[in-house]
Amino acid sequence: MKNFLFIAAIVATIPLFAQTPKYYTKAFNWNGSKNSNGLSMGLNSNNNYIICGDTKDSTQRWSPFFLQVNANGDFVRVDRFPDSFYQPTPRQLVITPTKVFAGGFANDTAQSNTYAIQIETNGNLINWNVVDDSPFVNSGYTACRTHDGGFLIGGEIQPYDPPNGQPTHPYLVKLDSAGNKLWDTIYYQYGEPYAWIESIIPAPDNGYYALGSTKSSLWLHSDILLMHIAEDGSVLWDKIITFGTPEFGKEVIYTNDGGFLITGYINDDAVPHGYKSLI
């Protein structure tokens, strides 16, 4: 069975009289693709929407794609970048006036590594690279533009393999504007035994806010983790947010009044396999 990339949008105006909002739904796939998953979306300088994700070909290998559609949802172009060794998945778009950056992870036959790809606005590949080729499993889940024009990728890493499990810790990688790795940081103070970063945004003080989750065990309690990170990657402060049930943080934005808006979900133990959205 094929999975189709699905796009839904609502386009509404504020008329002088009541009017039904206009909307559209679109599904895309292309020749040779068995499954396609849209994972992140943004608007470029041509007012086209760019959707990135991964797509599986007839040989059952995954590769990254960048799909462009116009404001009406009409197909503009799609660019795919298969690799003979890695199977990359771009998780988060960062769109600049001159190029498109995406951070994520790339799987090989043995493990996962943090991954970055850059393309020109016309879809031509600039470069891609596995930005952390350490022997430890690591994955990028989110990315943002840095204050100096580079990029940050946040995710998780398993820095060792103890006898009683594989703890994961939040992981941050700093790249320059060309995609070269400048430094990385493992936050060992979180993750007893599991913690990771799902969202990261620039802060007004030249630092960053990172949101994720920290779990006490694989199946038991989980809390939302909010971190304020300095430009050099050090932690300025953190906050654990809990409501007494397993909670997971997915995305954070900075509000005009200096606060935060956090989205995620709660695992409701009162309902079998029950999950509730959290804002």
Side-chain angles (χ1 to χ4, degrees), residues 139-155:
S139 298
Y141 299 139
T142 185
C144 77
R145 191 86 183 269
T146 59
H147 299 283
D148 60 3
F151 302 95
L152 278 177
I153 301 177

Side-chain angles (χ1 to χ4, degrees), residues 11 25 46 58 101 125 133 167 174 219 234 242 244 250 258:
V11 181
T25 61
N46 295 324
S58 58
F101 173 92
L125 178 66
D133 56 356
K174 171 70 182 294
W219 302 112
S234 59
T242 181
K250 298 296 290 184

Side-chain angles (χ1 to χ4, degrees), residues 33 48-49 51 54 59-60 78-79 87 101 107 161 166 180 192 201 204 209 220 231 247 250 258 262:
S33 293
N48 289 332
Y49 294 97
I51 301 97
D54 55 7
T59 65
Q60 305 301 307
V78 64
D79 299 286
Q87 299 187 67
F101 173 92
N107 295 322
D161 185 7
Q166 294 180 322
N180 301 307
E192 293 297 335
I201 57 173
Y209 296 114
L220 298 179
E231 179 67 27
E247 303 96 17
K250 298 296 290 184
I262 293 172

Side-chain angles (χ1 to χ4, degrees), residues 12-93:
T13 59
I14 304 175
L16 297 178
F17 51 89
Q19 181 179 344
T20 302
K22 298 179 180 179
Y23 69 92
Y24 63 78
T25 61
K26 300 281 185 176
F28 293 92
N29 214 333
W30 33 81
N31 293 336
S33 293
K34 300 299 183 182
N35 300 280
S36 300
N37 304 300
L39 300 173
S40 182
M41 181 170 65
L43 189 67
N44 69 9
S45 57
N46 295 324
N47 290 321
N48 289 332
Y49 294 97
I50 300 179
I51 301 97
C52 77
D54 55 7
T55 183
K56 183 188 288 187
D57 63 22
S58 58
T59 65
Q60 305 301 307
R61 290 186 60 82
W62 292 95
S63 60
F65 74 84
F66 294 83
L67 169 69
Q68 288 193 43
V69 298
N70 64 21
N72 296 318
D74 300 320
F75 176 87
V76 176
R77 63 178 296 139
V78 64
D79 299 286
R80 291 178 288 175
F81 303 98
D83 184 74
S84 60
F85 183 72
Y86 289 102
Q87 299 187 67
T89 295
R91 287 283 300 266
Q92 183 68 55
L93 274 178

